[in-house]
Amino acid sequence: VTLPSTLETLGESVFTSCDKLTSIKDKSGKFLKTVDGIVYSTDGTQMIAVLASASGEVRIAKGVTEIPTFLFINNNRITGVVIPEGVTNIGNQAFGWCDSLTSVVIPEGVTRIGYGAFKGSENLTSVTLPSTLNDIGKEAFPASTIIRSEPNTYAHTWALKNGYTWQPAEQPESKVMKLPADLKIVRQ
């Protein structure tokens, strides 16, 4: 696809579900830049499209605040997604039916996961949700996905209320002090 230099506005989600899209050329240079198979606005704050070259573990660029509705839908080439800090919203069905998707890193700061965001991505067996969530849409994850979160958070309550298996989030290794089994005295 080539965008003409006379283009004045580029609408939201115009390239959604274009899973065979290999390139987008922007003759004006004012709308798009491509990083690792993902097309962003020139300022890097908006995701526009996912090219056929995006595969394996995808790292979304810093500066993005939202993953648009349907952006990765039916993409069977991605196996993992790393979402950067600063993203607050994952749109409806953004990763729906991504059959090869097995891992997602959702950082603190995300407040909303939309309806069916990961619906149909049956190989996503577990996901750890941040404590900052305050809205998770219906059918956000496949029914078999294990939801991990801190206890007594919105994500914890949501998981139990919606019939998901819930487990406490793993604590970072730095919070655990391992002492030798033969230790006899600890002094100040």
Side-chain angles (χ1 to χ4, degrees), residues 61-144:
K62 290 181 179 177
V64 170
T65 58
E66 176 178 1
I67 300 171
T69 294
F70 305 126
L71 189 69
F72 287 88
I73 197 167
N74 295 318
N75 184 317
N76 295 320
R77 296 175 307 278
I78 62 168
T79 58
V81 178
V82 178
I83 300 170
E85 289 185 13
V87 170
T88 58
N89 181 39
I90 300 172
N92 296 344
Q93 297 181 7
F95 297 95
W97 295 274
C98 293
D99 293 339
S100 299
L101 187 62
T102 59
S103 69
V104 177
V105 176
I106 302 176
E108 288 293 322
V110 172
T111 58
R112 179 182 177 273
I113 297 176
Y115 164 79
F118 297 91
K119 183 177 183 175
S121 298
E122 298 297 331
N123 288 311
L124 184 61
T125 56
S126 71
V127 64
T128 301
L129 300 179
S131 63
T132 51
L133 278 168
N134 58 36
D135 184 17
I136 304 174
K138 188 174 182 177
E139 300 177 328
F141 301 96
S144 60

Side-chain angles (χ1 to χ4, degrees), residues 160-171:
L160 297 177
K161 191 181 289 186
N162 287 279
Y164 287 87
T165 299
W166 176 85
Q167 293 178 354
E170 294 178 22
Q171 296 297 313

